[in-house]
């Protein structure tokens, strides 16, 4: 009798657990729908072209919606990519996107979000690896809290109207490989913390007429660097000798900035160097012989 009771209790327990899991799954799915519909409304989804906006409704599986990818095991949204859509327009990026805890990719480039700001809440997306909001009309500043995105590998906020100082906390994004901040209105000094990004391959920080300071010697420790572009700024000082350590460098563009002194004879080991631009600066002396070997 006792054995039958135990078996029956065990079956009931399993049924309750399965029911709870089913309820949780439905709850998670409903939450995802709400967040994605927030984005749909914020970007006038009913006007999209080249994306099937009719899929974006609460009656179909979100994993089948245009621009959405999900984890095949959990069904949680991992990617939002609206870069191939057209007429994605709005004035704000929904802070509710921070609820998509499994999100690894967010690409809103090619959108028009004039006057929108970067929501500080996105710093909660601890799994985020790719964030591209290039040229969408952003204003405001970069939230220092974004330094918490330690899994981020690609950050493109170029060609916007962002201003203020570049937060030192960006140096905490230790996985970052691609950082594009060109064509904004940043001011203040060149953040020395960028030299902490040991995996960085591409740094584009050109066209900031109010960006001052100097280029840290520690930039020479970023041995994977392939593109270093800090042109058309007010960065001063001499060109660091340590840049000669960047043997993977293909593009070094410091032109139209306020560097002075001589060009250091240290680039002989930069055998992949294709572009070396130090034009329109207060430099002295002649081109080093080592550049002929680069």
């Amino acid at each position: 009798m006792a054995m039958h009771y135990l078996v029956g209790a065990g079956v009931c327990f399993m049924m309750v657990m399965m029911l709870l899991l089913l309820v949780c799954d439905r709850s998670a799915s409903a939450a995802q729908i709400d967040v994605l519909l927030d984005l749909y409304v914020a970007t006038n989804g009913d006007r999209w072209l080249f994306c099937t906006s009719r899929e974006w409704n609460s009656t179909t599986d979100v994993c089948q919606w245009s621009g959405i990818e999900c984890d095949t095991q959990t069904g949680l949204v991992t990617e939002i990519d609206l870069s191939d859509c057209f007429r994605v327009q709005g004035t704000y990026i929904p802070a509710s996107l921070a609820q998509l805890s499994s999100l690894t990719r967010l690409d809103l480039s090619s959108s028009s979000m004039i006057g929108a700001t970067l929501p500080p809440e996105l710093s909660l997306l601890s799994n985020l690896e790719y964030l591209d909001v290039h040229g969408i009309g952003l204003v405001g500043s970069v939230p220092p809290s974004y330094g918490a995105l330690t899994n981020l590998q690609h950050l493109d906020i170029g060609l916007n109207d962002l201003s203020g100082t570049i937060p030192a906390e960006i140096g905490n994004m230790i996985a970052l490989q691609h950082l594009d901040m060109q064509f904004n209105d940043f001011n203040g000094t060149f953040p020395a913390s960028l030299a902490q990004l040991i995996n960085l391959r591409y740094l584009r920080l050109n066209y900031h007429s109010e960006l001052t300071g100097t280029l840290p010697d520690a930039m020479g420790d970023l041995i994977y660097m392939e593109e270093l572009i800090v042109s058309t700024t007010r960065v001063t000082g001499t060109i660091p000798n340590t840049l000669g350590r960047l043997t993977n460098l293909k593009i070094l563009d410091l032109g139209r900035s306020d560097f002075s002194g001589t060009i250091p004879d240290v680039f002989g080991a930069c055998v992949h160097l294709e572009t070396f631009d130090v034009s329109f600066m207060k430099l002295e002396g002649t081109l080093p012989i080592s550049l002929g070997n680069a």
Side-chain angles (χ1 to χ4, degrees):
M1 183 72 176
M3 181 62 70
H4 288 296
Y5 174 78
L6 290 174
V7 170
V11 171
C12 288
F13 176 77
M14 291 299 296
M15 291 179 66
V16 169
M17 290 303 296
M18 291 176 65
L19 181 60
L20 286 174
L21 288 173
L22 182 61
V23 170
C24 289
D25 285 345
R26 287 181 176 174
S27 177
S29 178
Q32 290 191 137
I33 290 172
D34 289 343
V35 171
L36 293 176
L37 289 180
D38 283 348
L39 180 61
Y40 182 81
V41 171
T43 56
N44 294 291
D46 58 331
R47 301 179 183 177
W48 293 354
L49 296 177
F50 307 137
C51 279
T52 311
S53 61
R54 65 177 178 273
E55 294 173 351
W56 282 60
N57 59 65
S58 58
T59 63
T60 58
D61 180 6
V62 298
C63 301
Q64 304 300 317
W65 294 4
S66 294
I68 302 299
E69 295 290 336
C70 297
D71 184 293
T72 55
Q73 299 296 320
T74 65
L76 296 177
V77 173
T78 57
E79 297 186 13
I80 300 175
D81 187 347
L82 301 183
S83 60
D84 290 333
C85 300
F86 185 61
R87 289 178 61 182
V88 178
Q89 301 173 334
T91 56
Y92 69 98
I93 298 173
S96 59
L97 289 173
Q99 298 175 31
L100 300 176
S101 59
S102 294
L103 197 66
T104 61
R105 182 186 181 97
L106 177 59
D107 191 341
L108 300 178
S109 60
S110 302
S111 303
S112 177
M113 307 285 286
I114 296 174
T117 59
L118 287 167
E121 292 84 356
L122 295 189
S123 62
L124 299 175
L125 295 172
S126 59
N127 292 304
L128 198 63
E129 298 175 358
Y130 188 104
L131 176 58
D132 192 337
V133 288
H134 185 96
I136 69 172
L138 294 175
V139 299
S141 59
V142 178
S145 59
Y146 279 25
L149 298 174
T150 54
N151 286 309
L152 199 64
Q153 300 175 22
H154 181 109
L155 175 59
D156 190 341
I157 56 176
L159 197 59
N160 283 293
D161 291 313
L162 295 168
S163 57
T165 59
I166 299 171
E169 288 81 357
I170 283 184
N172 298 329
M173 297 178 176
I174 55 175
L176 208 56
Q177 298 179 20
H178 181 114
L179 177 56
D180 189 334
M181 307 178 77
Q182 63 182 325
F183 290 98
N184 279 288
D185 296 314
F186 293 121
N187 54 43
T189 59
F190 186 97
S193 62
L194 293 183
Q196 299 169 196
L197 301 175
I198 58 174
N199 293 299
L200 201 60
R201 297 176 183 271
Y202 305 95
L203 175 59
R204 297 167 184 159
L205 198 52
N206 45 316
Y207 287 94
H208 296 289
S209 60
E210 299 300 320
L211 186 66
T212 62
T214 59
L215 202 60
D217 288 339
M219 294 296 289
D221 297 332
L222 306 182
I223 59 174
Y224 300 112
M225 187 74 76
E226 296 181 26
E227 290 186 18
L228 177 55
I229 304 177
V230 193
S231 59
T232 317
T233 67
R234 293 180 58 194
V235 174
T236 62
T238 58
I239 299 173
N241 292 332
T242 55
L243 296 187
R245 302 175 193 162
L246 305 180
T247 56
N248 290 301
L249 205 58
K250 296 179 181 178
I251 298 176
L252 177 59
D253 186 355
L254 307 175
R256 298 163 299 284
S257 293
D258 290 337
F259 290 95
S260 58
T262 60
I263 301 173
D265 192 7
V266 295
F267 295 102
C270 300
V271 295
H272 302 290
L273 197 59
E274 300 171 356
T275 299
F276 183 84
D277 190 342
V278 292
S279 59
F280 299 101
M281 296 198 298
K282 303 171 184 177
L283 298 176
E284 304 171 351
T286 59
L287 286 175
I289 296 175
S290 62
L291 278 173
N293 300 325

